[in-house]
Each structure stands twice: as structure tokens, then as C-alpha cells.
PDB file of all heavy atoms in Angstrom:
ATOM      1  N   ALA Z1028      -8.167   0.023  14.657  1.00  0.00           N
ATOM      2  CA  ALA Z1028      -8.199   1.004  15.656  1.00  0.00           C
ATOM      3  C   ALA Z1028      -6.822   1.456  15.950  1.00  0.00           C
ATOM      4  O   ALA Z1028      -6.569   2.549  16.301  1.00  0.00           O
ATOM      5  CB  ALA Z1028      -8.936   0.395  16.919  1.00  0.00           C
ATOM      6  N   LEU Z1029      -5.667   0.539  15.957  1.00  0.00           N
ATOM      7  CA  LEU Z1029      -4.385   0.916  16.185  1.00  0.00           C
ATOM      8  C   LEU Z1029      -3.870   1.878  15.043  1.00  0.00           C
ATOM      9  O   LEU Z1029      -3.222   2.843  15.398  1.00  0.00           O
ATOM     10  CB  LEU Z1029      -3.548  -0.357  16.274  1.00  0.00           C
ATOM     11  CG  LEU Z1029      -2.063  -0.297  16.351  1.00  0.00           C
ATOM     12  CD1 LEU Z1029      -1.784   0.508  17.608  1.00  0.00           C
ATOM     13  CD2 LEU Z1029      -1.308  -1.650  16.266  1.00  0.00           C
ATOM     14  N   ILE Z1030      -4.274   1.496  13.794  1.00  0.00           N
ATOM     15  CA  ILE Z1030      -3.811   2.316  12.713  1.00  0.00           C
ATOM     16  C   ILE Z1030      -4.521   3.789  12.940  1.00  0.00           C
ATOM     17  O   ILE Z1030      -3.710   4.737  12.700  1.00  0.00           O
ATOM     18  CB  ILE Z1030      -4.355   1.747  11.384  1.00  0.00           C
ATOM     19  CG1 ILE Z1030      -3.705   0.374  11.123  1.00  0.00           C
ATOM     20  CG2 ILE Z1030      -3.992   2.710  10.277  1.00  0.00           C
ATOM     21  CD1 ILE Z1030      -2.183   0.385  11.007  1.00  0.00           C
ATOM     22  N   GLU Z1031      -5.715   3.810  13.331  1.00  0.00           N
ATOM     23  CA  GLU Z1031      -6.333   5.144  13.494  1.00  0.00           C
ATOM     24  C   GLU Z1031      -5.620   5.865  14.675  1.00  0.00           C
ATOM     25  O   GLU Z1031      -5.448   7.092  14.537  1.00  0.00           O
ATOM     26  CB  GLU Z1031      -7.787   4.980  13.647  1.00  0.00           C
ATOM     27  CG  GLU Z1031      -8.613   6.264  13.832  1.00  0.00           C
ATOM     28  CD  GLU Z1031      -8.484   7.023  12.485  1.00  0.00           C
ATOM     29  OE1 GLU Z1031      -8.428   6.352  11.422  1.00  0.00           O
ATOM     30  OE2 GLU Z1031      -8.446   8.277  12.598  1.00  0.00           O
ATOM     31  N   ARG Z1032      -5.368   5.277  15.742  1.00  0.00           N
ATOM     32  CA  ARG Z1032      -4.565   5.932  16.808  1.00  0.00           C
ATOM     33  C   ARG Z1032      -3.401   6.394  16.345  1.00  0.00           C
ATOM     34  O   ARG Z1032      -2.834   7.546  16.799  1.00  0.00           O
ATOM     35  CB  ARG Z1032      -4.498   5.033  17.937  1.00  0.00           C
ATOM     36  CG  ARG Z1032      -5.790   4.683  18.799  1.00  0.00           C
ATOM     37  CD  ARG Z1032      -5.545   4.144  20.110  1.00  0.00           C
ATOM     38  NE  ARG Z1032      -4.616   3.068  20.261  1.00  0.00           N
ATOM     39  CZ  ARG Z1032      -5.189   1.764  20.100  1.00  0.00           C
ATOM     40  NH1 ARG Z1032      -6.612   1.483  19.958  1.00  0.00           N
ATOM     41  NH2 ARG Z1032      -4.344   0.627  20.064  1.00  0.00           N
ATOM     42  N   THR Z1033      -2.585   5.698  15.506  1.00  0.00           N
ATOM     43  CA  THR Z1033      -1.314   6.090  15.137  1.00  0.00           C
ATOM     44  C   THR Z1033      -1.409   7.235  14.201  1.00  0.00           C
ATOM     45  O   THR Z1033      -0.534   8.192  14.212  1.00  0.00           O
ATOM     46  CB  THR Z1033      -0.610   4.905  14.477  1.00  0.00           C
ATOM     47  OG1 THR Z1033      -0.622   3.608  15.151  1.00  0.00           O
ATOM     48  CG2 THR Z1033       0.877   5.192  14.010  1.00  0.00           C
ATOM     49  N   ARG Z1034      -2.380   7.294  13.385  1.00  0.00           N
ATOM     50  CA  ARG Z1034      -2.612   8.367  12.537  1.00  0.00           C
ATOM     51  C   ARG Z1034      -2.825   9.690  13.370  1.00  0.00           C
ATOM     52  O   ARG Z1034      -2.297  10.783  13.137  1.00  0.00           O
ATOM     53  CB  ARG Z1034      -3.732   8.204  11.588  1.00  0.00           C
ATOM     54  CG  ARG Z1034      -3.411   7.165  10.550  1.00  0.00           C
ATOM     55  CD  ARG Z1034      -4.651   6.864   9.698  1.00  0.00           C
ATOM     56  NE  ARG Z1034      -4.385   5.965   8.565  1.00  0.00           N
ATOM     57  CZ  ARG Z1034      -5.488   5.155   8.075  1.00  0.00           C
ATOM     58  NH1 ARG Z1034      -6.686   5.336   8.543  1.00  0.00           N
ATOM     59  NH2 ARG Z1034      -5.124   4.345   7.227  1.00  0.00           N
ATOM     60  N   SER Z1035      -3.675   9.538  14.428  1.00  0.00           N
ATOM     61  CA  SER Z1035      -4.039  10.675  15.180  1.00  0.00           C
ATOM     62  C   SER Z1035      -2.901  11.223  16.022  1.00  0.00           C
ATOM     63  O   SER Z1035      -2.841  12.314  16.420  1.00  0.00           O
ATOM     64  CB  SER Z1035      -5.221  10.379  16.136  1.00  0.00           C
ATOM     65  OG  SER Z1035      -4.805   9.307  16.988  1.00  0.00           O
ATOM     66  N   SER Z1036      -1.940  10.417  16.207  1.00  0.00           N
ATOM     67  CA  SER Z1036      -0.668  10.714  17.044  1.00  0.00           C
ATOM     68  C   SER Z1036       0.246  11.468  16.064  1.00  0.00           C
ATOM     69  O   SER Z1036       1.320  12.100  16.525  1.00  0.00           O
ATOM     70  CB  SER Z1036       0.069   9.633  17.622  1.00  0.00           C
ATOM     71  OG  SER Z1036       0.651   8.815  16.632  1.00  0.00           O
ATOM     72  N   GLY Z1037       0.124  11.691  14.803  1.00  0.00           N
ATOM     73  CA  GLY Z1037       0.861  12.399  13.874  1.00  0.00           C
ATOM     74  C   GLY Z1037       1.661  11.725  12.897  1.00  0.00           C
ATOM     75  O   GLY Z1037       2.475  12.189  12.111  1.00  0.00           O
ATOM     76  N   LEU Z1038       1.470  10.229  12.865  1.00  0.00           N
ATOM     77  CA  LEU Z1038       2.250   9.401  11.909  1.00  0.00           C
ATOM     78  C   LEU Z1038       1.297   8.936  10.840  1.00  0.00           C
ATOM     79  O   LEU Z1038       0.548   7.987  11.217  1.00  0.00           O
ATOM     80  CB  LEU Z1038       2.957   8.222  12.670  1.00  0.00           C
ATOM     81  CG  LEU Z1038       3.646   7.224  11.715  1.00  0.00           C
ATOM     82  CD1 LEU Z1038       4.824   7.857  11.137  1.00  0.00           C
ATOM     83  CD2 LEU Z1038       4.108   6.016  12.697  1.00  0.00           C
ATOM     84  N   PRO Z1039       1.353   9.418   9.658  1.00  0.00           N
ATOM     85  CA  PRO Z1039       0.380   8.835   8.579  1.00  0.00           C
ATOM     86  C   PRO Z1039       0.699   7.410   8.341  1.00  0.00           C
ATOM     87  O   PRO Z1039       1.831   6.903   8.092  1.00  0.00           O
ATOM     88  CB  PRO Z1039       0.838   9.730   7.412  1.00  0.00           C
ATOM     89  CG  PRO Z1039       1.529  11.023   7.932  1.00  0.00           C
ATOM     90  CD  PRO Z1039       2.137  10.558   9.201  1.00  0.00           C
ATOM     91  N   THR Z1040      -0.217   6.675   8.413  1.00  0.00           N
ATOM     92  CA  THR Z1040      -0.044   5.208   8.365  1.00  0.00           C
ATOM     93  C   THR Z1040      -1.119   4.498   7.373  1.00  0.00           C
ATOM     94  O   THR Z1040      -2.301   4.882   7.512  1.00  0.00           O
ATOM     95  CB  THR Z1040      -0.179   4.455   9.805  1.00  0.00           C
ATOM     96  OG1 THR Z1040       0.730   5.167  10.606  1.00  0.00           O
ATOM     97  CG2 THR Z1040       0.111   3.031   9.720  1.00  0.00           C
ATOM     98  N   THR Z1041      -0.742   3.707   6.621  1.00  0.00           N
ATOM     99  CA  THR Z1041      -1.637   2.926   5.707  1.00  0.00           C
ATOM    100  C   THR Z1041      -1.544   1.437   6.115  1.00  0.00           C
ATOM    101  O   THR Z1041      -0.556   0.925   6.473  1.00  0.00           O
ATOM    102  CB  THR Z1041      -1.282   3.078   4.336  1.00  0.00           C
ATOM    103  OG1 THR Z1041      -0.009   2.781   3.973  1.00  0.00           O
ATOM    104  CG2 THR Z1041      -1.595   4.653   3.815  1.00  0.00           C
ATOM    105  N   LEU Z1042      -2.774   0.694   5.738  1.00  0.00           N
ATOM    106  CA  LEU Z1042      -2.832  -0.736   5.954  1.00  0.00           C
ATOM    107  C   LEU Z1042      -3.167  -1.420   4.631  1.00  0.00           C
ATOM    108  O   LEU Z1042      -3.993  -1.046   3.977  1.00  0.00           O
ATOM    109  CB  LEU Z1042      -3.923  -1.088   6.966  1.00  0.00           C
ATOM    110  CG  LEU Z1042      -4.268  -2.520   7.134  1.00  0.00           C
ATOM    111  CD1 LEU Z1042      -3.041  -3.257   7.683  1.00  0.00           C
ATOM    112  CD2 LEU Z1042      -5.407  -2.683   8.076  1.00  0.00           C
ATOM    113  N   HIS Z1043      -2.316  -2.436   4.321  1.00  0.00           N
ATOM    114  CA  HIS Z1043      -2.520  -3.118   2.870  1.00  0.00           C
ATOM    115  C   HIS Z1043      -2.709  -4.686   3.380  1.00  0.00           C
ATOM    116  O   HIS Z1043      -1.710  -5.202   4.106  1.00  0.00           O
ATOM    117  CB  HIS Z1043      -1.339  -2.977   2.014  1.00  0.00           C
ATOM    118  CG  HIS Z1043      -1.001  -1.398   1.899  1.00  0.00           C
ATOM    119  ND1 HIS Z1043      -1.492  -0.754   0.890  1.00  0.00           N
ATOM    120  CD2 HIS Z1043      -0.129  -0.726   2.439  1.00  0.00           C
ATOM    121  CE1 HIS Z1043      -1.110   0.397   1.030  1.00  0.00           C
ATOM    122  NE2 HIS Z1043      -0.236   0.571   1.872  1.00  0.00           N
ATOM    123  N   VAL Z1044      -3.613  -5.297   2.818  1.00  0.00           N
ATOM    124  CA  VAL Z1044      -3.912  -6.747   3.157  1.00  0.00           C
ATOM    125  C   VAL Z1044      -3.913  -7.468   1.739  1.00  0.00           C
ATOM    126  O   VAL Z1044      -4.743  -7.050   0.834  1.00  0.00           O
ATOM    127  CB  VAL Z1044      -5.329  -6.853   3.901  1.00  0.00           C
ATOM    128  CG1 VAL Z1044      -5.575  -8.363   4.005  1.00  0.00           C
ATOM    129  CG2 VAL Z1044      -5.359  -6.011   5.234  1.00  0.00           C
ATOM    130  N   ALA Z1045      -3.157  -8.456   1.622  1.00  0.00           N
ATOM    131  CA  ALA Z1045      -3.082  -9.313   0.437  1.00  0.00           C
ATOM    132  C   ALA Z1045      -3.442 -10.752   0.818  1.00  0.00           C
ATOM    133  O   ALA Z1045      -3.110 -11.199   1.906  1.00  0.00           O
ATOM    134  CB  ALA Z1045      -1.737  -9.230  -0.290  1.00  0.00           C
ATOM    135  N   GLY Z1046      -4.108 -11.384  -0.206  1.00  0.00           N
ATOM    136  CA  GLY Z1046      -4.538 -12.784   0.066  1.00  0.00           C
ATOM    137  C   GLY Z1046      -5.921 -12.961   0.741  1.00  0.00           C
ATOM    138  O   GLY Z1046      -6.441 -11.859   1.188  1.00  0.00           O
ATOM    139  N   ALA Z1047      -6.336 -14.068   1.008  1.00  0.00           N
ATOM    140  CA  ALA Z1047      -7.647 -14.287   1.580  1.00  0.00           C
ATOM    141  C   ALA Z1047      -7.506 -14.304   3.065  1.00  0.00           C
ATOM    142  O   ALA Z1047      -6.917 -15.188   3.715  1.00  0.00           O
ATOM    143  CB  ALA Z1047      -8.155 -15.693   1.023  1.00  0.00           C
ATOM    144  N   GLU Z1048      -8.253 -13.313   3.795  1.00  0.00           N
ATOM    145  CA  GLU Z1048      -8.136 -13.354   5.136  1.00  0.00           C
ATOM    146  C   GLU Z1048      -8.955 -14.512   5.802  1.00  0.00           C
ATOM    147  O   GLU Z1048      -9.944 -15.036   5.141  1.00  0.00           O
ATOM    148  CB  GLU Z1048      -8.849 -11.939   5.759  1.00  0.00           C
ATOM    149  CG  GLU Z1048      -8.098 -10.709   5.315  1.00  0.00           C
ATOM    150  CD  GLU Z1048      -8.793  -9.463   5.907  1.00  0.00           C
ATOM    151  OE1 GLU Z1048      -8.926  -9.534   7.200  1.00  0.00           O
ATOM    152  OE2 GLU Z1048      -9.007  -8.579   5.254  1.00  0.00           O
ATOM    153  N   ARG Z1049      -8.435 -14.988   6.927  1.00  0.00           N
ATOM    154  CA  ARG Z1049      -9.002 -16.173   7.532  1.00  0.00           C
ATOM    155  C   ARG Z1049      -8.760 -16.099   8.924  1.00  0.00           C
ATOM    156  O   ARG Z1049      -7.997 -15.306   9.462  1.00  0.00           O
ATOM    157  CB  ARG Z1049      -8.483 -17.474   6.906  1.00  0.00           C
ATOM    158  CG  ARG Z1049      -6.888 -17.676   7.220  1.00  0.00           C
ATOM    159  CD  ARG Z1049      -6.376 -19.064   6.739  1.00  0.00           C
ATOM    160  NE  ARG Z1049      -4.997 -19.156   7.098  1.00  0.00           N
ATOM    161  CZ  ARG Z1049      -3.912 -18.576   6.563  1.00  0.00           C
ATOM    162  NH1 ARG Z1049      -4.078 -17.754   5.583  1.00  0.00           N
ATOM    163  NH2 ARG Z1049      -2.804 -18.876   7.034  1.00  0.00           N
ATOM    164  N   ALA Z1050      -9.533 -16.939   9.656  1.00  0.00           N
ATOM    165  CA  ALA Z1050      -9.328 -17.008  11.142  1.00  0.00           C
ATOM    166  C   ALA Z1050      -7.915 -17.630  11.462  1.00  0.00           C
ATOM    167  O   ALA Z1050      -7.614 -18.662  10.850  1.00  0.00           O
ATOM    168  CB  ALA Z1050     -10.437 -17.728  11.786  1.00  0.00           C
ATOM    169  N   LEU Z1051      -7.324 -17.062  12.420  1.00  0.00           N
ATOM    170  CA  LEU Z1051      -5.958 -17.498  12.746  1.00  0.00           C
ATOM    171  C   LEU Z1051      -6.039 -18.098  14.280  1.00  0.00           C
ATOM    172  O   LEU Z1051      -6.788 -17.754  15.032  1.00  0.00           O
ATOM    173  CB  LEU Z1051      -4.927 -16.391  12.801  1.00  0.00           C
ATOM    174  CG  LEU Z1051      -4.798 -15.615  11.438  1.00  0.00           C
ATOM    175  CD1 LEU Z1051      -4.044 -14.372  11.596  1.00  0.00           C
ATOM    176  CD2 LEU Z1051      -4.083 -16.560  10.447  1.00  0.00           C
ATOM    177  N   PRO Z1052      -5.004 -19.048  14.539  1.00  0.00           N
ATOM    178  CA  PRO Z1052      -4.993 -19.517  15.948  1.00  0.00           C
ATOM    179  C   PRO Z1052      -4.750 -18.267  16.890  1.00  0.00           C
ATOM    180  O   PRO Z1052      -4.125 -17.227  16.427  1.00  0.00           O
ATOM    181  CB  PRO Z1052      -3.741 -20.373  15.816  1.00  0.00           C
ATOM    182  CG  PRO Z1052      -3.614 -20.837  14.536  1.00  0.00           C
ATOM    183  CD  PRO Z1052      -4.107 -19.701  13.649  1.00  0.00           C
ATOM    184  N   VAL Z1053      -5.368 -18.339  18.118  1.00  0.00           N
ATOM    185  CA  VAL Z1053      -5.417 -17.083  18.948  1.00  0.00           C
ATOM    186  C   VAL Z1053      -3.816 -16.689  19.173  1.00  0.00           C
ATOM    187  O   VAL Z1053      -3.734 -15.371  19.158  1.00  0.00           O
ATOM    188  CB  VAL Z1053      -5.938 -17.501  20.335  1.00  0.00           C
ATOM    189  CG1 VAL Z1053      -5.822 -16.363  21.296  1.00  0.00           C
ATOM    190  CG2 VAL Z1053      -7.413 -17.846  20.032  1.00  0.00           C
ATOM    191  N   GLU Z1054      -2.975 -17.609  19.398  1.00  0.00           N
ATOM    192  CA  GLU Z1054      -1.616 -17.243  19.671  1.00  0.00           C
ATOM    193  C   GLU Z1054      -0.984 -16.355  18.511  1.00  0.00           C
ATOM    194  O   GLU Z1054      -0.271 -15.338  18.704  1.00  0.00           O
ATOM    195  CB  GLU Z1054      -0.672 -18.423  20.052  1.00  0.00           C
ATOM    196  CG  GLU Z1054      -1.061 -19.126  21.267  1.00  0.00           C
ATOM    197  CD  GLU Z1054      -2.249 -19.991  21.141  1.00  0.00           C
ATOM    198  OE1 GLU Z1054      -2.734 -20.236  19.921  1.00  0.00           O
ATOM    199  OE2 GLU Z1054      -2.706 -20.759  21.987  1.00  0.00           O
ATOM    200  N   VAL Z1055      -1.212 -16.892  17.304  1.00  0.00           N
ATOM    201  CA  VAL Z1055      -0.609 -16.327  16.072  1.00  0.00           C
ATOM    202  C   VAL Z1055      -1.350 -14.901  15.831  1.00  0.00           C
ATOM    203  O   VAL Z1055      -0.662 -13.847  15.596  1.00  0.00           O
ATOM    204  CB  VAL Z1055      -0.882 -17.194  14.856  1.00  0.00           C
ATOM    205  CG1 VAL Z1055      -0.507 -16.368  13.495  1.00  0.00           C
ATOM    206  CG2 VAL Z1055      -0.116 -18.438  14.993  1.00  0.00           C
ATOM    207  N   ASP Z1056      -2.610 -14.814  15.981  1.00  0.00           N
ATOM    208  CA  ASP Z1056      -3.440 -13.634  15.991  1.00  0.00           C
ATOM    209  C   ASP Z1056      -2.818 -12.418  16.907  1.00  0.00           C
ATOM    210  O   ASP Z1056      -2.699 -11.385  16.447  1.00  0.00           O
ATOM    211  CB  ASP Z1056      -4.812 -13.900  16.236  1.00  0.00           C
ATOM    212  CG  ASP Z1056      -5.770 -12.710  15.695  1.00  0.00           C
ATOM    213  OD1 ASP Z1056      -5.502 -12.139  14.672  1.00  0.00           O
ATOM    214  OD2 ASP Z1056      -6.984 -12.617  16.269  1.00  0.00           O
ATOM    215  N   GLN Z1057      -2.713 -12.869  18.111  1.00  0.00           N
ATOM    216  CA  GLN Z1057      -2.196 -11.890  19.076  1.00  0.00           C
ATOM    217  C   GLN Z1057      -0.811 -11.455  18.755  1.00  0.00           C
ATOM    218  O   GLN Z1057      -0.433 -10.328  19.029  1.00  0.00           O
ATOM    219  CB  GLN Z1057      -2.427 -12.454  20.564  1.00  0.00           C
ATOM    220  CG  GLN Z1057      -3.830 -12.614  21.010  1.00  0.00           C
ATOM    221  CD  GLN Z1057      -3.954 -13.254  22.393  1.00  0.00           C
ATOM    222  OE1 GLN Z1057      -2.927 -13.611  22.967  1.00  0.00           O
ATOM    223  NE2 GLN Z1057      -5.120 -13.182  22.896  1.00  0.00           N
ATOM    224  N   ALA Z1058       0.052 -12.435  18.405  1.00  0.00           N
ATOM    225  CA  ALA Z1058       1.501 -12.171  18.215  1.00  0.00           C
ATOM    226  C   ALA Z1058       1.639 -11.259  16.929  1.00  0.00           C
ATOM    227  O   ALA Z1058       2.463 -10.303  17.030  1.00  0.00           O
ATOM    228  CB  ALA Z1058       2.273 -13.404  17.878  1.00  0.00           C
ATOM    229  N   ALA Z1059       0.788 -11.499  16.064  1.00  0.00           N
ATOM    230  CA  ALA Z1059       0.882 -10.521  14.947  1.00  0.00           C
ATOM    231  C   ALA Z1059       0.470  -9.105  15.127  1.00  0.00           C
ATOM    232  O   ALA Z1059       1.154  -8.112  14.782  1.00  0.00           O
ATOM    233  CB  ALA Z1059      -0.028 -11.095  13.782  1.00  0.00           C
ATOM    234  N   TYR Z1060      -0.569  -8.936  16.042  1.00  0.00           N
ATOM    235  CA  TYR Z1060      -0.943  -7.661  16.468  1.00  0.00           C
ATOM    236  C   TYR Z1060       0.220  -6.931  17.276  1.00  0.00           C
ATOM    237  O   TYR Z1060       0.493  -5.741  17.160  1.00  0.00           O
ATOM    238  CB  TYR Z1060      -2.179  -7.713  17.378  1.00  0.00           C
ATOM    239  CG  TYR Z1060      -2.631  -6.348  17.850  1.00  0.00           C
ATOM    240  CD1 TYR Z1060      -3.288  -5.416  17.078  1.00  0.00           C
ATOM    241  CD2 TYR Z1060      -2.398  -6.087  19.116  1.00  0.00           C
ATOM    242  CE1 TYR Z1060      -3.763  -4.246  17.620  1.00  0.00           C
ATOM    243  CE2 TYR Z1060      -2.643  -4.881  19.586  1.00  0.00           C
ATOM    244  CZ  TYR Z1060      -3.411  -3.909  18.903  1.00  0.00           C
ATOM    245  OH  TYR Z1060      -3.812  -2.648  19.389  1.00  0.00           O
ATOM    246  N   ARG Z1061       0.812  -7.702  18.082  1.00  0.00           N
ATOM    247  CA  ARG Z1061       1.905  -7.186  19.094  1.00  0.00           C
ATOM    248  C   ARG Z1061       3.084  -6.692  18.078  1.00  0.00           C
ATOM    249  O   ARG Z1061       3.727  -5.735  18.444  1.00  0.00           O
ATOM    250  CB  ARG Z1061       2.379  -8.218  19.977  1.00  0.00           C
ATOM    251  CG  ARG Z1061       1.328  -8.820  20.966  1.00  0.00           C
ATOM    252  CD  ARG Z1061       1.003  -7.771  22.118  1.00  0.00           C
ATOM    253  NE  ARG Z1061       0.278  -8.317  23.020  1.00  0.00           N
ATOM    254  CZ  ARG Z1061      -1.156  -8.411  23.105  1.00  0.00           C
ATOM    255  NH1 ARG Z1061      -1.705  -7.829  22.003  1.00  0.00           N
ATOM    256  NH2 ARG Z1061      -1.838  -9.018  23.912  1.00  0.00           N
TER     257      ARG Z1061
END
């Protein structure tokens, strides 16, 4: 959703994910998003 909002504001943005996604500790998950 953040990527989509950024695109709609005029900044073309792509998302690339490598490795096996997994559940993260809440603190790490929120810090990464910030």
C-alpha cells in the first residue's frame, strides 16, 4: 500500500523481495516499514 501511494504521488517505485519471506518479531517488522 505504501508503494502504491508513493507511485500515485508521482515517484515510480518498484519492490523486490529476495529469500524466503517469514514472520518477523513485531519490533523488527515495524522498524523495517518505518
Side-chain angles (χ1 to χ4, degrees):
L1029 174 63
I1030 297 294
E1031 187 59 35
R1032 288 199 304 272
T1033 305
R1034 289 172 181 160
S1035 64
S1036 70
L1038 176 65
T1040 307
T1041 55
L1042 174 62
H1043 308 274
V1044 180
E1048 294 187 51
R1049 65 180 187 279
L1051 300 169
V1053 174
E1054 295 81 1
V1055 175
D1056 195 30
Q1057 293 180 350
Y1060 177 82
R1061 300 286 189 269

